[in-house]
Amino acid sequence: MNTPSQASPAPERGGRPQPLLVVRDLKKHFPVRDSGFGGPRKFVHAVDGVNFSVPKGKTLGIVGESGCGKSTTARLVARLMPADAGSLIFDGEGVAEFRGLHLKEFRRKLQMVFQDSFASLNPRLTIAETVAYGPRVHGTPAAKAMQQARELLDRVGLDAANFANRYPHELSGGQRQRVNIARALAYDPQLVILDEAVAALDKSVQAQVLNLLQELKAERGLTYLFISHDLHVVHYLSDYVMVMYLGQVIETGPVERIYGHTAHPYTRALLSAVPSMDPARRTEASPLAGDPPNPINPPSGCRFRDRCPRAHAVCADRAPELAAIHGAPEHFAACHLNDTASGHPDAGQEFSA
Amino acid sequence: MTTPLLTVRDLSVQFHGNRVASALNQVSFELGQDEVLGLLGESGSGKSVTLRTLLRLHPARSTRIQGEIRVGGQDVLALKGRALDLYRGGTVSMVFQEPGLAFDPVYTIGRQITEAIRAHESIDARSAAARALQMLEMVQIPQARRRFDAYPHELSGGMRQRAMIALALACKPKLLLADEPTTALDATVQIQILLLLRELQRETGMSVIFVTHDIGAAVEVADRIAVMYAGRIVEQQPVDRIVHTPRHPYTEGLLAATVGPEHRGQPLRAIPGSPPDLAALPPGCSFAPRCAYVSEQCRRDRPPLLAADDQALACWHPVRGLVEAA
Ligand SMILES: Nc1ncnc2c1ncn2[C@@H]1O[C@H](COP(=O)(O)OP(=O)(O)OP(=O)(O)O)[C@@H](O)[C@H]1O
Ligand SMILES: Nc1ncnc2c1ncn2[C@@H]1O[C@H](COP(=O)(O)OP(=O)(O)OP(=O)(O)O)[C@@H](O)[C@H]1O
Ligand SMILES: [Mg+2]
Ligand SMILES: [Mg+2]
């Protein structure tokens, strides 16, 4: 009752680049272990009807509260776990469908860099071997793969002469994360999913890696799905931004719309939580109080309403749909405030474009 | 600052693997009771090694440690057996950079926190479990009672991080070592955790070393900031000054490389070059090969860390000299 199928962002019109990835109505519900006898089986609604598309050669930034389902979305897209529902279209073809894109080919074209740099490296391989591994499996001769690996290590700022023969435990966290990025790039992918991939880097190395990502995007036409908590970095890198809350997309649009004219109270709170960098103006209170609602039993209506400073009766009654913002192409938000017909007394006042 | 809680003197750490890496080179600093030190620095500069050495986590076999560490009068490098166990997690505890390292995947987080408490105090299982739950609530894990019985992989990255903070604080340490505790958290939760750390720190009077790459986060909690480069501390200043008046060229470069809204559409100003090989450190200043202000002297002689008042600096040609501002 509380999840009417959300309106999907409008299909791309002429002139806009073809989407490389289209995700439709993606769902993943994790079963919760039974704590007692009998009773109905419960589920965590980790990803609950997510729709989006990423144009070729563009970067979609994904932001949202810890636990809102960003990583799960990424893993579902990468087919690292089966979805409960939904479909994927990659470069115009259905993935793993009859006559569609073969899963093995898809897995080469889509690479992922994870949050936890240690867990995703093989401790028994030197880092050059790790980076060369993928291309070798896909048929590149060993010597050539090693040569390419050394070049990639140089490009991510790890001097190959110094680092190539080291093992993962001999690196710092930030150094390991760059190995992961080099390894992903070695597959020559079309889409790279970066899940908190630059969070562990110092600001100077982060700047190097962000510059590198931008260069590769220009050179190879790479498309990125960029998940990050660093709102400055998302702003810097993204062409489009998608904001998630409790398993759903609540706002999406061009980066300058989201950062300049957000149409959702959650996004507004999120953006105002960025530290000021000024010791004289330390943050005194969090802009967002309370806990995120229980993902096992999401509240009726709008899932953000319990914590929303502008919630009204209608927000409990009906779930707002992800709808186009008037006068702002490609900008969508799920909030009754944007819809003058919603019955919200403040509708149309502040957030309208 | 009266007698400091922590004194580190000429601490050097070398790893003897296939190659000998000098991860720390004569690091000295002090930390007062109730004080929060932010540790910034290049990836690979030795921040985590500093914390792990303070906690005596490096295997003695392959690690050579020199120098002195004192916590509350105890000679930390001499601790053994039960005293070491009580020190670790009791006197000093740590929030790790990678949550995967703190929790055992086969036990629920509630059980692990409960057992950590029981390892340090004589307390019955039921009260320990009650306190563990209380800790999970204190770090604001939503539905803490349900998460008590969750396995680490069932929590999102951010919640695992909070659970780890709960684990670290469960035995009321005097010194908390936090290795990038908020990197995995979203902005709203990050600020909540920073406020929480600040509050807990004030309430308990514990001292904190807070490692981060996020200067904004350091500014929210730290009293003082130390900047590391290639296994050395190169600069120290109170937080309100370092962001406006960095003295060391490396600190200046780090601040300039930080992404802000004004940078969109242009390449970021990364510091050119890469850090030195710790197995073959240059004789002079380790930053010299990348420094815009470099001179012959820098390549030849290592600049000593000179202290003046509440500041310290190791540089022959600082952006701003120590005396200038004093
Ligand atoms: N394997 C799993 N089993 C059960 N629940 C899970 C599993 N993986 C994730 N969850 C739950 O699904 C929800 C979404 O988790 P996810 O890791 O996708 O969040 P996230 O947005 O990436 O968070 P963060 O920013 O903290 O990394 C959370 O409530 C989490 O506890
Ligand atoms: N067990 C080890 N054996 C050999 N070298 C090591 C070992 N542990 C760390 N190092 C090296 O010591 C240096 C310092 O590592 P450390 O993990 O302290 O860096 P860091 O400052 O925490 O960096 P980051 O910000 O990336 O986490 C690095 O160059 C790393 O490669
Ligand atoms: Mg995640
Ligand atoms: Mg580290």
Side-chain angles (χ1 to χ4, degrees):
Chain A
M1 168 201 94
N2 51 31
T3 44
S5 69
Q6 295 194 350
S8 31
E12 40 293 327
R13 299 162 207 96
R16 217 180 122 188
Q18 277 298 308
L20 179 67
L21 174 73
V22 181
V23 172
R24 287 276 169 265
D25 207 26
L26 202 58
K27 280 189 185 152
K28 183 75 188 177
H29 295 179
F30 292 109
V32 181
R33 274 183 321 283
D34 283 321
S35 45
F37 299 90
R41 196 114 197 257
K42 290 183 187 153
F43 293 92
V44 172
H45 299 232
V47 173
D48 211 10
V50 162
N51 295 284
F52 64 93
S53 65
V54 196
K56 246 182 215 165
K58 299 288 179 191
T59 301
L60 175 70
I62 304 182
V63 298
E65 195 155 36
S66 173
C68 70
K70 302 178 296 295
S71 297
T72 306
T73 301
R75 288 187 152 83
L76 293 174
V77 168
R79 290 291 182 123
L80 295 179
M81 56 166 80
D84 294 332
S87 63
L88 286 185
I89 297 173
F90 186 82
D91 209 5
E93 293 184 87
V95 177
E97 283 171 4
F98 181 61
R99 287 216 187 117
L101 191 60
H102 201 278
L103 213 51
K104 185 172 172 213
E105 190 52 15
F106 173 71
R107 289 222 164 100
R108 185 188 69 72
K109 290 182 173 176
L110 181 152
Q111 287 300 315
M112 196 158 164
V113 180
F114 294 99
Q115 206 161 341
D116 194 340
S117 66
F118 207 63
S120 37
L121 291 176
N122 183 335
R124 278 188 276 284
L125 297 185
T126 66
I127 63 170
E129 286 165 353
T130 291
V131 176
Y133 181 83
R136 290 197 55 184
V137 168
H138 284 88
T140 309
K144 182 149 182 258
M146 276 310 250
Q147 182 51 35
Q148 281 172 353
R150 297 177 68 94
E151 282 165 24
L152 273 169
L153 288 173
D154 281 333
R155 286 221 61 176
V156 295
L158 296 174
D159 177 22
N162 175 357
F163 284 94
N165 297 324
R166 295 207 207 172
Y167 290 89
H169 77 273
E170 296 176 319
L171 303 184
S172 79
Q175 291 164 345
R176 278 199 296 269
Q177 197 56 296
R178 281 178 278 166
V179 175
N180 275 317
I181 292 172
R183 182 190 55 171
L185 295 175
Y187 285 85
D188 195 18
Q190 278 178 280
L191 176 69
V192 183
I193 301 182
L194 299 137
D195 190 349
E196 293 295 350
V198 299
L201 307 179
D202 71 75
K203 293 300 157 184
S204 178
V205 174
Q206 186 179 79
Q208 273 177 19
V209 171
L210 294 177
N211 285 343
L212 172 72
L213 291 175
Q214 293 292 66
E215 283 165 36
L216 290 168
K217 182 178 164 195
E219 267 168 39
R220 308 189 186 183
L222 285 182
T223 305
Y224 299 124
L225 243 161
F226 188 81
I227 299 173
S228 175
H229 288 311
D230 188 325
L231 297 164
H232 288 311
V233 171
V234 169
H235 189 191
Y236 177 77
L237 210 65
S238 304
D239 301 296
Y240 298 90
V241 175
M242 173 166 113
V243 187
M244 291 183 69
Y245 190 82
L246 206 69
Q248 298 181 331
V249 179
I250 54 122
E251 186 170 11
T252 175
V255 62
E256 61 280 7
R257 287 294 308 176
I258 304 295
Y259 279 75
H261 305 273
T262 171
H264 200 288
Y266 170 69
T267 311
R268 168 157 304 187
L270 184 65
L271 292 175
S272 64
V274 180
S276 70
M277 290 275 286
D278 184 353
R281 290 192 296 129
R282 284 186 170 178
T283 312
E284 287 313 322
S286 169
L288 196 57
D291 294 335
N294 187 339
I296 294 178
N297 224 333
S300 69
C302 174
R303 294 183 176 188
F304 184 57
R305 69 180 161 84
D306 287 345
R307 307 165 80 191
C308 182
R310 317 202 42 191
H312 189 263
V314 62
C315 304
D317 292 345
R318 278 193 301 117
E321 297 202 343
L322 195 62
I325 301 299
H326 183 68
E330 306 180 301
H331 188 180
F332 298 82
C335 177
H336 290 310
L337 283 167
N338 300 308
D339 176 10
T340 42
S342 67
H344 194 298
D346 299 340
Q349 277 175 17
E350 193 184 326
F351 282 129
S352 57
Chain B
M1 203 195 299
T2 48
T3 31
L5 175 73
L6 166 71
T7 312
V8 174
R9 249 301 143 271
D10 290 330
L11 185 66
S12 297
V13 174
Q14 280 187 340
F15 293 109
H16 293 249
N18 306 332
R19 28 197 295 296
V20 177
S22 304
L24 290 188
N25 300 291
Q26 301 186 326
V27 168
S28 299
F29 66 95
E30 289 183 345
L31 183 67
Q33 211 126 43
D34 209 14
E35 197 187 7
V36 182
L37 175 72
L39 210 50
L40 289 178
E42 183 95 2
S43 166
S45 61
K47 303 179 298 294
S48 300
V49 168
T50 303
L51 299 197
R52 287 203 298 266
T53 308
L54 286 178
L55 209 50
R56 290 275 308 275
L57 288 180
H58 292 296
R61 233 172 342 102
S62 53
T63 321
R64 177 136 176 252
I65 302 176
Q66 286 169 301
E68 192 184 345
I69 302 174
R70 287 192 168 272
V71 174
Q74 267 183 315
D75 179 355
V76 173
L77 294 178
L79 291 175
K80 283 198 198 72
R82 178 76 182 144
L84 181 59
D85 290 342
L86 286 176
Y87 168 80
R88 278 194 197 131
T91 313
V92 177
S93 71
M94 178 143 165
V95 178
F96 289 88
Q97 187 169 8
E98 285 163 88
L101 301 178
F103 284 111
D104 190 327
V106 302
Y107 299 106
T108 65
I109 57 160
R111 171 148 178 214
Q112 293 186 55
I113 298 175
T114 306
E115 273 168 18
I117 296 173
R118 297 198 66 200
H120 289 94
E121 291 170 37
S122 45
I123 177 173
D124 64 280
R126 183 187 281 267
S127 327
R131 191 149 109 223
L133 178 61
Q134 222 176 30
M135 297 308 296
L136 291 178
E137 281 164 354
M138 192 185 71
V139 296
Q140 296 158 18
I141 289 191
Q143 294 105 45
R145 195 168 291 278
R146 178 164 74 78
R147 259 72 190 238
F148 188 93
D149 292 319
Y151 290 89
H153 77 273
E154 293 174 326
L155 300 184
S156 76
M159 272 186 285
R160 256 200 314 264
Q161 203 71 7
R162 291 193 201 204
M164 195 157 58
I165 294 176
L167 176 65
L169 294 181
C171 300
K172 308 193 181 90
K174 290 204 186 72
L175 173 60
L176 179 71
L177 308 175
D179 197 348
E180 307 194 34
T182 60
T183 326
L185 306 177
D186 71 88
T188 58
V189 181
Q190 161 170 333
I191 206 74
Q192 283 174 14
I193 295 278
L194 292 176
L195 293 172
L196 178 77
L197 271 177
R198 213 156 81 192
E199 191 184 307
L200 292 170
Q201 188 271 328
R202 276 185 199 150
E203 262 170 34
T204 59
M206 68 180 169
S207 308
V208 180
I209 302 182
F210 184 88
V211 170
T212 182
H213 290 305
D214 185 342
I215 298 154
V219 161
E220 290 289 343
V221 293
D223 301 312
R224 190 155 50 100
I225 290 192
V227 180
M228 290 189 74
Y229 189 81
R232 295 197 176 90
I233 291 181
V234 295
E235 170 166 13
Q236 253 192 71
Q237 282 200 63
V239 66
D240 48 339
R241 270 178 277 160
I242 200 160
V243 289
H244 302 303
T245 55
R247 301 185 185 289
H248 198 284
Y250 173 68
T251 314
E252 184 189 48
L254 200 59
L255 290 169
T258 303
V259 193
E262 65 281 12
H263 296 115
R264 232 186 106 74
Q266 44 183 339
L268 298 166
R269 287 170 49 196
I271 302 170
S274 47
D277 182 354
L278 296 174
L281 284 173
C285 171
S286 309
F287 188 59
R290 308 172 69 186
C291 184
Y293 308 87
V294 65
S295 75
E296 255 332 290
Q297 185 185 23
C298 307
R299 298 209 174 87
R300 196 181 52 230
D301 306 323
R302 173 168 310 146
L305 185 72
L306 299 177
D309 299 332
D310 48 1
Q311 311 182 29
L313 180 67
C315 180
W316 296 123
H317 304 294
V319 188
R320 288 173 193 81
L322 266 185
V323 209
E324 216 174 286

